[in-house]
Amino acid sequence: MPKKTESKLKKIYMRAAIRMAQKGMDLNEGGPFGAVIVRENEIIAKAYNRVIKTNDPTAHAEILAIRKASKKLGRFDLSDCEIFSTCEPCPMCLGAIIWAKIKTLYYGCTKEDADRIEFSDKVIYESFTGPPENRIIQSIQMEQDACLPLFEAWEKKEDKIRY
């Protein structure tokens, strides 16, 4: 496909993500976040942030789009897909994108842009890299001996499906 046509398609996909974000805001279901997933130059899933509507803090546009795409394709491996998002994904969404094996992410606004309008992921990013005593969630390891047999059983399981 010629580069100019490819570039135009990418703008179309990002504009679809923007329309989704606007819809979510118009309905007061979430913030300015929309996402679309594309496979073979076709939008296969689109979503907007629905945290407010669902009272679900994980109902981010990227997560919802991944769920829709996985359901539509009948698989959790979306490595042949791309995702377009109106904003650089939060750590949760970035993790989901990686788990879904999506290879390419296009985004509009940056995490700094989101921080300016009080959608701050900064504290989460800092929690990953800061010392344990400065993290926002107290983390206490316990019962490792009781949990390790699960991991050992998984390691030996012959019919496991890797993801």
Side-chain angles (χ1 to χ4, degrees):
M1 177 178 310
K3 284 224 184 252
K4 192 170 186 177
T5 304
E6 187 176 324
S7 177
K8 281 184 180 181
L9 282 174
K10 290 184 186 336
K11 283 185 179 183
I12 288 169
Y13 305 144
M14 184 59 80
R15 298 288 164 84
I18 292 167
R19 283 192 301 278
M20 292 304 295
Q22 186 65 57
K23 180 179 178 181
M25 288 192 324
D26 291 347
L27 294 170
N28 281 326
E29 293 188 8
F33 308 105
V36 299
I37 296 181
V38 175
R39 180 175 171 262
E40 297 176 357
N41 294 321
E42 177 189 351
I43 294 175
I44 61 165
K46 51 189 177 178
Y48 54 85
N49 182 295
R50 300 191 77 216
V51 170
I52 296 167
K53 171 72 174 178
T54 62
N55 289 316
D56 177 355
T58 69
H60 291 199
E62 297 90 343
I63 300 284
L64 297 175
I66 288 168
R67 289 175 183 163
K68 288 179 179 181
S70 293
K71 184 175 182 177
K72 182 174 184 174
L73 296 176
R75 55 189 164 91
F76 53 81
D77 182 338
L78 303 179
S79 57
D80 58 345
C81 298
E82 299 176 320
I83 189 166
F84 292 76
S85 177
T86 57
C87 188
E88 189 173 4
C90 73
M92 175 184 67
C93 292
L94 187 57
I97 291 165
I98 292 167
W99 275 112
K101 299 178 177 34
I102 295 172
K103 301 260 190 297
T104 307
L105 158 70
Y106 298 91
Y107 63 92
C109 295
T110 65
K111 60 184 179 238
E112 290 80 17
D113 295 326
D115 189 53
R116 276 193 286 283
I117 61 167
E118 300 181 8
F119 283 97
S120 182
D121 300 329
K122 189 176 185 179
V123 69
I124 300 170
Y125 283 107
E126 288 172 353
S127 182
F128 289 140
T129 57
E133 62 273 10
N134 292 344
R135 294 184 182 158
I136 58 173
I137 296 176
Q138 184 179 17
S139 300
I140 303 164
Q141 183 181 17
M142 61 178 282
E143 296 290 322
Q144 182 183 23
D145 290 342
C147 295
L148 275 174
L150 295 168
F151 282 61
E152 292 164 359
W154 176 259
E155 189 175 37
K156 294 174 185 167
K157 185 173 170 50
E158 293 194 16
D159 63 341
K160 66 184 162 213
I161 299 171
R162 295 191 184 278
Y163 60 95

